[in-house]
Amino acid sequence: MRLLVIEDEPRLQRALAKALREEGYAVDTAEEGEDGLYKATAFNYDAVVLDVMLPGMDGWEILRRLRATKATPVLMLTARDATSDRVKGLDGGADDYLVKPFELDELFARIRAIIRRHAGRPHSTVVIGDVEIDTRGRKVDFGGKAVVLTAREYAILEYLALHRGEVISRTELYEHLFDENEDTLSNLLDVHVHGIRRKLRADLIVTRRGEGYLIE
């Protein structure tokens, strides 16, 4: 999953990006409102973590403009705990709201929840036959036994599972798995998909030639 963190406080931005990458996300960042809005509209993120108070263009305006073109899940961050602010954010199209300071575990949980809701999968566990995916713990069981996947293998499996029944193009997978600073190889997806099939089931992920990948 690929996230955008729009936060102008450098130490907090670095800490959030580091923590989210350690959770297995690809993370892009922006310090200013205009740059954040550009990235949020130019790229297809799985979620945006948006600070309210930003230089140039504040979070409210970014949210308003983003919602004119995209339904990307947005989690707003603010130092203000006023009910009016929370109502303003939620009514303006935010999917959730978190008041600073906060615990990282709560941030992770809220991000997972808005991504699942956006994908139409409200529960943290996705079951596909004898494969069970725990999106909260980022764990996979096959036939009742734990299977160890690499971070990239898990990310591919989770994304395809959350969009079960849809053919996901290679381009879309690359956009959601790698951040703006990573170099990608043309055959990298094939390598990871082969690893998933080898560890789970050969027929779990279907390849549609010229179209992409699918979990039926």
Side-chain angles (χ1 to χ4, degrees):
M1 300 294 179
R2 185 177 179 185
L3 307 179
L4 173 62
V5 176
I6 308 176
E7 167 61 58
D8 66 316
E9 203 287 301
R11 290 181 60 184
L12 179 57
Q13 185 200 94
R14 287 194 299 270
L16 289 176
K18 180 176 183 292
L20 290 166
R21 288 181 181 123
E22 289 175 350
E23 279 290 294
Y25 295 103
V27 182
D28 295 346
T29 59
E31 294 182 3
E32 297 184 353
E34 288 82 357
D35 185 35
L37 178 62
Y38 167 75
K39 290 181 178 180
T41 53
F43 303 103
N44 293 318
Y45 292 100
D46 294 287
V48 175
V49 179
L50 174 61
D51 188 24
V52 171
M53 301 303 294
L54 294 167
M57 181 187 300
D58 65 20
W60 305 123
E61 183 63 15
I62 292 173
L63 179 64
R64 186 186 70 80
R65 296 193 188 188
L66 178 63
R67 283 294 175 258
T69 58
K70 286 194 170 185
T72 308
V74 174
L75 172 62
M76 300 199 76
L77 304 179
T78 181
R80 297 177 54 173
D81 192 20
T83 300
S84 58
D85 281 355
R86 294 197 298 273
V87 171
K88 181 178 180 180
L90 295 171
D91 282 348
D95 296 86
D96 206 348
Y97 202 97
L98 192 55
V99 177
K100 302 176 184 177
F102 51 80
E103 297 292 333
L104 284 175
D105 284 345
E106 183 178 4
L107 174 71
F108 300 155
R110 289 179 181 274
I111 289 173
R112 290 193 299 267
I114 63 174
I115 290 174
R116 289 197 308 269
R117 289 199 300 268
H118 185 69
R121 306 281 180 179
H123 302 293
S124 62
T125 301
V126 180
V127 179
I128 306 167
D130 49 4
V131 176
E132 183 173 306
I133 305 165
D134 175 9
T135 62
R136 181 176 58 187
R138 300 179 66 83
K139 300 175 183 178
V140 178
D141 286 354
F142 176 46
K145 296 181 179 180
V147 176
V148 178
L149 300 181
T150 67
R152 199 71 79 187
E153 288 170 349
Y154 175 82
I156 293 171
L157 178 63
E158 181 186 68
Y159 191 81
L160 291 173
L162 289 176
H163 297 82
R164 186 178 183 181
E166 302 176 35
V167 177
I168 305 299
S169 69
R170 297 169 65 89
T171 299
E172 182 175 343
L173 279 173
Y174 275 119
E175 287 179 348
H176 286 269
L177 292 175
F178 300 95
D179 65 37
E180 58 191 348
N181 298 313
E182 291 185 274
D183 293 324
T184 60
L185 300 174
S186 60
N187 68 335
L188 200 55
L189 281 178
D190 298 322
V191 172
H192 292 312
V193 169
H194 174 73
I196 296 169
R197 287 169 172 158
R198 179 173 53 83
K199 295 175 182 179
L200 298 173
R201 293 199 320 261
D203 63 347
L204 179 63
I205 299 176
V206 177
T207 300
R208 292 281 180 87
R209 298 297 177 186
E211 297 182 64
Y213 298 100
L214 165 72
I215 291 181
E216 295 178 328

